[in-house]
Amino acid sequence: MSTDTSDAQPLTSQFDELQQRFNKTPYLAVNKRIAVLKTLRARIIEREQQLVDAVSKDFGYRTAFDTLLGDILPTVQTLAHIIKKLPKWAKPSNRSVGLSLWPSKVSVNYQPKGVVGIIAPWNYPIQLALVPVLTAIAAGNKVMLKLSEFTPHTNAVIEQIFKDDMQAHCKIIQGGSDVATQFSSLPFAHILFTGSTSVGKLVMASASRNLTPVTLELGGKSPVIITQNADIKKAAQALLFGKMANAGQICVAPDYVFVPKALEHQLIQQLCELYKKHFKDGVEGKNLTSIISDAHYKRLSSYLEQAQALGANIIKPLDQNQQDAEKHRMGLHLVTQVTDEMNLMQDELFGPILPIMSYETLDSAIDYIKANHHPLALYILGQDKEAQDYIMKQTLSGTVAVNDTLVQVTADDVPFGGVGHSGMGHYHGVEGFLTFSHAKNTLVSGSFNPRIGLLLKQSKLIIKLLKWLYIK
């Protein structure tokens, strides 16, 4: 089905069609939701190679490893988890009624909200599009999915996944920023947006006109703190994986590093040695994903040029094959002697550039992090349990990982989301189901209910009883 608004059904018509379908069946049975999810799971697995090839075309070149590990595996794993847990999640939750409402019973019933809008980014065009959609469908909703205009080949495969009968549950929308603006102005029951903080503000403003609740999965500068007693080789391994996966184009990628001053040289040496070992061919290697577009490549290059002009030291692990402007490929660049006036210390990097700052005291590193917006992720590398606990209690971040990077996002049974400028709301796990559900307070009274008759009398005895209930 073609969904470019120039020749397709208008967005409002597609929304109205899904809304009518939802109104006809406002509570799809859980077993039917599971059947839909199983069909989608089979279609995703069936098109695994098509998805790998399509994403690589969209990026100019993307490793199969990055697509399998970061896109397809977490999507299929999430589906399996949802299918297993959904019957339990969807059950009413019985709550305590208290003496004042005895003998009635109260519970929370989880009801689908309606038509949900999902706006997906380009950096993980499968996982970050499909996981929210699958979660919203699991909660019983209909979905409109706006895909990124930067991933047309991937979008074509996703359209095939949702073809025919699946269009009754999810409609795929394509187009540029003008379509995205129209999309976010629709009267959805809920909107989930993944992308930059600046665009997230626009989505939230547009949604507010319809009083549409939003979940914003944004980003920002995710810091790393290496503690005094860290195993520097292991820390460098975790850093290199976190920075080079998908060429650093990840919302939770390590953005900058704090390292004890005495360990700075050792860290840089280890990062360079590991890079030479695992990425020895640099931009000529088959294990290095390209930057998504020429514009993003130029943005990253400008960060390096400006930083160097302002006195930063740029360290390239390889003597050659560090950059390829024509193919917009870039290898690891370590940057020391950075200052806050440099753009690479102000903007989310979203690429294989890693600023390194040394610290004398742990509190000075923590104070720097606290002086800026709350990050989506915080990483602690080091074996000191006391330092780990101290850092976690002194900082606020969407997620935290200790002695690891990136993979905390793939945990199926815990929520994922930012805080402040890095986002609001959660999805993944049961929290994702709750995000796309209306928790309906439900009170049920039986035939034996003397409370109503007693309250109608408003006698002195009843007033005394009411006072007793709150002063006892």
Side-chain angles (χ1 to χ4, degrees), residues 19-238:
Q19 187 65 62
Q20 289 169 13
R21 287 182 180 275
F22 178 81
N23 291 343
K24 186 176 181 181
T25 309
Y27 190 91
L28 187 66
V30 171
N31 65 322
K32 292 185 177 179
R33 299 180 206 175
I34 290 174
V36 172
L37 295 175
K38 286 182 175 179
T39 297
L40 292 171
R41 182 177 185 273
R43 290 184 181 184
I44 293 167
I45 294 172
E46 178 188 338
R47 290 166 174 78
E48 174 194 306
Q49 192 58 49
Q50 292 178 48
L51 288 166
V52 169
D53 294 342
V55 179
S56 187
K57 286 181 182 178
D58 287 329
F59 273 72
Y61 174 76
R62 196 202 208 194
T63 69
F65 175 83
D66 277 337
T67 299
L68 290 170
L69 179 70
D71 263 317
I72 297 175
L73 176 63
T75 301
V76 176
Q77 275 190 164
T78 295
L79 253 175
H81 183 74
I82 291 173
I83 290 168
K84 179 181 177 181
K85 297 288 187 177
L86 184 55
K88 180 181 178 180
W89 294 346
K91 284 183 178 179
S93 172
N94 294 323
R95 304 294 176 90
S96 173
V97 70
L99 282 174
S100 62
L101 291 179
W102 183 88
S104 302
K105 295 180 180 180
V106 293
S107 62
V108 178
N109 286 260
Y110 301 105
Q111 188 169 354
K113 288 185 172 183
V115 182
V116 169
I118 309 290
I119 304 175
W122 54 262
N123 61 317
Y124 279 101
I126 303 166
Q127 180 209 157
L128 297 181
L130 297 190
V131 169
V133 169
L134 299 169
T135 308
I137 290 174
N141 301 285
K142 304 299 183 184
V143 183
M144 289 178 72
L145 170 61
K146 165 65 177 70
L147 295 170
S148 170
E149 64 269 33
F150 298 111
T151 55
H153 297 94
T154 308
N155 298 353
V157 182
I158 291 176
E159 280 195 319
Q160 287 300 306
I161 292 170
F162 287 95
K163 67 180 181 180
D164 303 329
D165 54 328
M166 291 298 108
Q167 292 182 39
H169 303 281
C170 177
K171 289 187 176 293
I172 306 301
I173 308 300
Q174 296 194 59
S177 58
D178 56 332
V179 174
T181 300
Q182 296 174 44
F183 186 92
S184 60
S185 68
L186 293 171
F188 290 114
H190 197 104
I191 289 178
L192 185 146
F193 167 82
T194 303
S196 69
T197 301
S198 58
V199 178
K201 291 177 180 179
L202 297 176
V203 171
M204 187 173 182
S206 183
S208 70
R209 298 186 186 101
N210 294 308
L211 295 180
T212 297
V214 296
T215 299
L216 302 178
E217 299 299 342
L218 309 176
K221 299 183 75 62
S222 295
V224 181
I225 297 181
I226 297 176
T227 62
Q228 291 285 351
N229 67 342
D231 181 320
I232 290 298
K233 183 174 182 179
K234 290 181 178 177
Q237 287 175 331

Side-chain angles (χ1 to χ4, degrees), residues 272-273 275-277 279-284 314-324 331-333:
C272 289
E273 287 181 6
Y275 186 82
K276 289 175 183 177
K277 177 181 178 181
F279 299 91
K280 60 182 179 180
D281 296 321
V283 296
E284 297 295 323
I314 312 293
I315 301 167
K316 303 176 183 180
L318 298 177
D319 295 328
Q320 56 186 2
N321 293 333
Q322 279 287 123
Q323 291 180 244
D324 186 334
L332 178 66
H333 288 71

